[in-house]
Amino acid sequence: MKREGFGSKFGVLAAAAGSAIGLGNIWKFPYIAGENGGAAFIFLYLFFILLLGVPLMVSELVIGRKGQSNVVRAFKKLAPNTKWHYTGILGVSTAFILFSFYSAVAGWIFAYVSRSISGDLISISPDKLGSYFNGIISSNIEPLIWQFIVIAFTAFIVIAGIKKGVEKYSKILMPVLFGLLVILAVRSVTLEGASKGIEFLFKPDFASLTGKGILEALGHAFFSLSLGMGTLVTYGSYINKKENLQTMALQITMADTLIALIAGLVIFPAVFAYGFQPDQGPELIFITLPAVFKEMPLGGIFQSLFFVLVGIAALTSTISLLEIIVSYFTEEYKISRKKVTIIVSFIIFLLGIPNTLSFGILENVKLFDKTIFDLFNFSVSNVMLPLGGLLIALFVGKVWGTKNAINEATNDGKIDFPLAKGYTIIIKYIAPVAIIIILLYSTGIL
Ligand code: TRP
């Protein structure tokens, strides 16, 4: 059976950038930048993206395109009779867990889309927004319904396949997302008093960086680029042999970074212009921003556009999460795409329920001192993704070999790889050491 692949270069880029650009860019990046003092953190983040993000992304893409199969089989093909395919199994498992809590947050976004379009959200007075948000996420039914809708939408697109589903919707949704974001950024930076927010984003004060901030920047570089779980191995397998994977990795990375920065330009100038604090943490876009929109002329409209945009960003990421899992089960167990997608989505919804309810009735259920949501989030962001990234770097550096990786990245020597030396050094030495340090630190061993 011939495998389906992406139909156009723009389609690949939209889908891969769609995976990378998600809640990580618009929800998480602004609040962790806000908590870590802004510009200095952002500069460090950019440094990690270039130093480690791009080489790892190239590695995932070349493994995928060489392997021409799902993430588990790709490792089996490149290193037969070894246990390296467990890296792929780790990736598929990570996708299940990530999707189950990511869809909880995406569900809150969908709830906010509905409430901002209905005009409800803009009518809430700023001092009540905290309890308004907590009321939504702690109820027992509503957030589950939204979570179900997020998963169902995703499944609907994935069932349609690579060209007619993933690629088609990414090609529509990504430009819409970009357009909305630019409109909102223009609104925000032209507010009176916006300059303080711009300074916060771009004028670094390196004294504000802490050890924790440095590791958070590194961890988030992985999370934001969807690295460490074989997303780009999977998408790489759908990419045409003629494409230049080096430039693709750069383009995906640039798109992801640009969107995170523009999201910062939407949020911080407005936050500062109206005298709010940038360091509210995870609630920044749910509680602080609606208060900001309330102050703004036509705030209700801008607010609706904003949450629609975040919803789109979340959806293009959940599509790729589901695709990793579905491509594995359809190819390995020869079950139809539709059947697998429905079964897997159902399991993810079941896994998602305790995540969502851990803000409500399961609030006091704790393991290792963490709620279910926090535990899932922590395991993925601080353990599974870095571990996956480490295994991928070790695989390319020590098992499959950077020569083979470079060969695939140059389309068998037909195109140049100007940074091949640097790539080799990073994948063999710098990336493993850096990742081991994050792993030890984030698990509390160091
Ligand atoms: N990059 C996504 C974001 O920024 C989150 C993410 C991490 C992800 N790994 C992934 C999404 C794998 C899809 C697939 O929100």
Side-chain angles (χ1 to χ4, degrees):
M1 189 179 80
K2 193 171 174 311
R3 289 182 87 241
E4 206 193 349
F6 285 115
S8 69
K9 184 165 174 190
F10 178 67
V12 185
L13 289 173
S19 167
I21 296 165
L23 296 171
N25 302 60
I26 303 168
W27 165 63
K28 197 167 176 189
F29 176 76
Y31 89 71
I32 57 178
E35 284 177 331
N36 286 293
F41 174 88
I42 295 172
F43 278 100
L44 197 70
Y45 171 77
L46 296 179
F47 172 74
F48 287 139
I49 288 271
L50 283 178
L51 181 77
L52 298 172
V54 179
L56 266 171
M57 189 179 288
V58 170
S59 305
E60 286 203 21
L61 288 172
V62 292
I63 293 174
R65 195 174 61 177
K66 184 77 190 174
Q68 285 296 303
S69 49
N70 65 78
V71 59
V72 178
R73 181 165 300 251
F75 284 96
K76 279 191 188 159
K77 277 192 182 163
L78 303 188
N81 307 317
T82 65
K83 296 212 175 343
W84 280 92
H85 62 277
Y86 280 99
T87 310
I89 293 181
L90 175 71
V92 174
S93 319
T94 310
F96 269 102
I97 300 180
L98 178 49
F99 199 172
S100 72
F101 72 83
Y102 200 87
S103 57
V105 183
W108 305 343
I109 301 284
F110 275 40
Y112 262 45
V113 168
S114 125
R115 282 156 194 255
S116 48
I117 292 177
S118 74
D120 190 32
L121 184 56
I122 200 76
S123 70
I124 310 293
S125 71
D127 58 323
K128 300 257 160 36
L129 278 165
S131 52
Y132 180 81
F133 175 61
N134 286 319
I136 297 177
I137 68 172
S138 65
S139 91
N140 293 331
I141 303 291
E142 189 187 337
L144 288 177
I145 296 176
W146 291 117
Q147 183 172 31
F148 183 83
I149 293 175
V150 169
I151 298 173
F153 253 138
T154 310
F156 169 80
I157 294 171
V158 169
I159 286 176
I162 295 299
K163 275 202 193 74
K164 294 208 181 92
V166 178
E167 178 169 359
K168 180 173 135 198
Y169 286 93
S170 304
K171 272 162 62 176
I172 304 169
L173 293 174
M174 293 315 287
V176 172
L177 178 147
F178 188 73
L180 291 178
L181 200 62
V182 169
I183 294 173
L184 288 162
V186 169
R187 168 65 283 193
S188 181
V189 300
T190 51
L191 288 168
E192 204 173 319
S195 61
K196 265 211 218 114
I198 299 174
E199 237 173 60
F200 180 78
L201 271 174
F202 297 113
K203 202 167 149 210
D205 165 18
F206 285 98
S208 63
L209 268 183
T210 57
K212 185 173 157 281
I214 296 174
L215 288 162
E216 236 176 313
L218 185 50
H220 189 65
F222 276 51
F223 184 86
S224 189
L225 293 173
S226 299
L227 294 173
M229 56 190 277
T231 316
L232 293 147
V233 173
T234 307
Y235 278 10
S237 76
Y238 302 131
I239 299 177
N240 186 305
K241 283 283 181 196
K242 292 197 198 81
E243 299 293 356
N244 182 338
L245 296 178
Q246 306 158 49
T247 42
M248 276 195 172
L250 267 180
Q251 286 162 334
I252 298 164
T253 304
M254 278 178 359
D256 185 69
T257 309
L258 188 70
I259 298 286
L261 292 177
I262 304 180
L265 275 180
V266 170
I267 294 171
F268 293 114
V271 165
F272 278 90
Y274 293 114
F276 291 93
Q277 293 303 318
D279 56 355
Q280 295 304 303
E283 293 168 349
L284 181 67
I285 71 166
F286 293 106
I287 298 177
T288 310
L289 266 197
V292 171
F293 282 122
K294 197 164 167 66
E295 298 288 323
M296 196 184 271
L298 301 180
I301 296 175
F302 288 113
Q303 172 149 277
S304 306
L305 293 179
F306 179 80
F307 285 107
V308 167
L309 138 95
V310 188
I312 292 176
L315 201 60
T316 51
S317 296
T318 54
I319 292 171
S320 79
L321 284 169
L322 191 54
E323 180 58 36
I324 304 170
I325 307 175
V326 167
S327 74
Y328 168 63
F329 284 107
T330 42
E331 281 178 21
E332 296 306 297
Y333 300 96
K334 311 271 178 268
I335 318 171
S336 80
R337 181 171 265 272
K338 189 166 171 189
K339 215 179 200 169
V340 171
T341 308
I342 291 172
I343 297 171
V344 166
S345 303
F346 187 67
I347 296 173
I348 287 168
F349 181 62
L350 292 182
L351 272 175
I353 293 173
N355 275 288
T356 291
L357 294 182
S358 68
F359 294 88
I361 45 169
L362 300 182
E363 179 179 34
N364 294 319
V365 177
K366 294 205 170 144
L367 271 170
F368 306 109
D369 217 24
K370 288 186 164 55
T371 64
I372 299 164
F373 178 95
D374 289 341
L375 186 70
F376 274 39
N377 185 3
F378 177 88
S379 322
V380 167
S381 309
N382 296 351
V383 184
M384 298 171 91
L385 291 181
L387 186 63
L390 175 64
L391 291 173
I392 289 166
L394 291 176
F395 177 77
V396 173
K398 314 246 181 294
V399 181
W400 184 43
T402 44
K403 276 215 179 70
N404 284 323
I406 289 169
N407 197 39
E408 183 64 30
T410 56
N411 303 352
D412 299 326
K414 287 193 212 59
I415 51 176
D416 251 6
F417 192 163
L419 297 176
K421 263 226 175 77
Y423 170 78
T424 306
I425 296 172
I426 290 171
I427 289 300
K428 276 197 160 145
Y429 308 105
I430 301 179
V433 172
I435 300 172
I436 288 173
I437 296 174
I438 339 184
L439 263 172
L440 293 178
Y441 188 90
S442 61
T443 51
I445 298 171
L446 202 80

